Amino acid sequence: MIHRKTRWALAEWEESGEGAAEKLSKGLSLPPLVARLLVQRGYRDEESARTFLYGDESGLHDPYLLSGMKEAVERIRLAGVRQEKIRIYGDYDADGVSSTSLLVHVFRSMGLNFDYYIPHRALEGYGLNEKAIALAASEGVTLIVTVDTGISAYDEIEYAKTHGIDVVITDHHEPPDRLPQASAVVNPKQGHCSYPFKGLAGVGVAFKLATALMERPPLEWADIVSLGTIADLMPLVDENRILVRYGLQRMRKEPGMGFRALAEATGIELPTIVSTGIAFGMAPRINAAGRLDHAKRAVELLTTPEYDEAILIAIQLDTLNKERQRIVETIVKEAEEQWLTKRLASEDQGIDPPSVIVLSGEGWNVGVIGIVASKLLERHYRPVIILGIDAETGKCKGSARSIEGFDLHAALTECEALMDHYGGHQAAAGMTLHRDHLESLEQRMSQLAKQWLTGEDWIPKTHVDIECGLEDATLDTITQLSLLEPFGIGNRSPRILFQSIQLADRRAIGKESKHLKLSLGGGRKLLDAIGFGMGEMASSMPAGSRLDIVGELSINEWNNQRKPQLQLHDLHYMPTPLSSFPSREQFGQVYQWLRGVKRAPEQGLTMRIAGQVSLTVEAVQLMLDVFEELKFIGRHDGAYVAATAPEKRELASSERYRAAKEQHDRLHDLA
């Protein structure tokens, strides 16, 4: 028996959806599975589906629909006329770096007098600060344009005014109740802003400003926009989908100098890059600059026109990322040791371990603790808070990650008396507090988790898009699934459920047999499936059994051949009890047949033997497992091979035989 590791949440399917899917399939010449997925995601008519699949720059909204855009453009253009010195003020993450880099290109093309500034993560922290403003004033800056930051900087804006500096804010974070009194505030999430799409990244808002300034969408820099949008986990729908699609196309065909250098330094294949290549290949290296050094290095990469400079920076960022990985591994190891100690202490006291993991350490790099929190969340599936402690002051800076159903921001609000500062949302948050309050924070957060969560909430959930059959898993269908790309937040790669699908064959593959390869289906129609890290399951399910499987459809290309493939996420197998346990004579009959053929290919063998000797495939698989355990047969190059001179052993000496016999007898007695 193999139990599913997660809760499967199959999206609801209304009967009316079938008719809508049929119309889409015919009207847009789409495979039925693709049409059903479109309906499932809310695109029920041809117009909306066509816009989603093929939307271009005509689908981008008028930037002047953003409140404050007119004032922002007028103030920047006035600065250009006056030759004022402008400073772009960004953030140190990939979205902030992308936003800053985009405006560097735009202001450069406009011939403005400008420079840029990004605060140091460890020394200055997030957002506008008074020292940076005073520095700008001393250097003759009269206009600051923020990107990906500024919406909460009320006091800092007032301070800038005392130094004769105007500020234009462009941001996408949640606005506070009291908005800064800046020259212009551009943020689609402002309550009074009627902009039709609220999901822009910081770089997306900067792109709208650029569009207004240049009086056209500057799609030549869509690659930079796609980087920040994907890295900041923005929903890939509406404008984001259009911008990321253009950005990926540009990376594949005409990548900017920085992207060319980064790809060369890291082995990323730009001609075939997809959104995951940005998310897991490029974004971590861009972020590494701000985590371990200074984010200006990443801006230099994305704005330099010189190849020699770009490749040097790309190599430096790749090296920083490797160092970041090493630091993360070290902190994860120390954190796991702390967590084990806490769990053992709880066991000694006869109590449950904390429901929320709160771990801290002196010297833990605050630039990577969010990554550490994510890794522990993945391993233990409970809310996690990781904090770095300043040994001199006792101040702790923390990052938190949560499971579905536990609202971190709401929980931290309940604990606000313990903290100096906090912010975030349901799934992720940050905070600062003194180390003396850590124990109280752990206790209170754990109490809230116990109050708010049910037993089921502690089990990871897999969201399944749709159920389909083997007939849907064709090369043409899988190829056209790419029309739904780019995949990411808000538009994930479809997760498909196959129920009660027959297992034709299974085996462990790869180094140390770590991975699982399945052949699914009956007859001539088969679908290969690969489960990474699932190799130990191969011996737990006999060929011919029925499985429930969740995975993602893809195409496996090998030796110029293209075949459908399913990448496994989770599976469930419940063995079918033998209705009739095979007799010793039947065991002997099958064994003699195997000795006669000498070499029997595994593919389809159980069904072949079952048909010849009138047994179920489960019974035949039991026999093969018993023979293999007793070393009567072995496996070599995908085939069963009878031993030349096997040692004489009784069937009952096989553990597999005894277990199956006991299960059969017990069920027979109950009947």
Side-chain angles (χ1 to χ4, degrees), residues 70-84:
K70 178 176 178 291
E71 293 78 6
V73 170
E74 288 177 350
R75 183 62 186 89
I76 294 170
R77 284 179 174 163
L78 180 62
V81 170
R82 293 175 174 174
Q83 279 297 294
E84 295 179 65

Side-chain angles (χ1 to χ4, degrees), residues 230 236 244 248 252 273-281 485-488:
I230 291 172
L236 297 190
V244 170
L248 288 169
R252 292 167 190 155
I273 193 168
V274 293
S275 56
T276 52
I278 293 178
F280 301 111
E485 295 178 356
F487 295 130

Side-chain angles (χ1 to χ4, degrees), residues 193-208:
C193 181
S194 59
Y195 195 70
F197 181 54
K198 306 296 186 181
L200 291 170
V203 70
V205 179
F207 181 84
K208 304 310 294 188

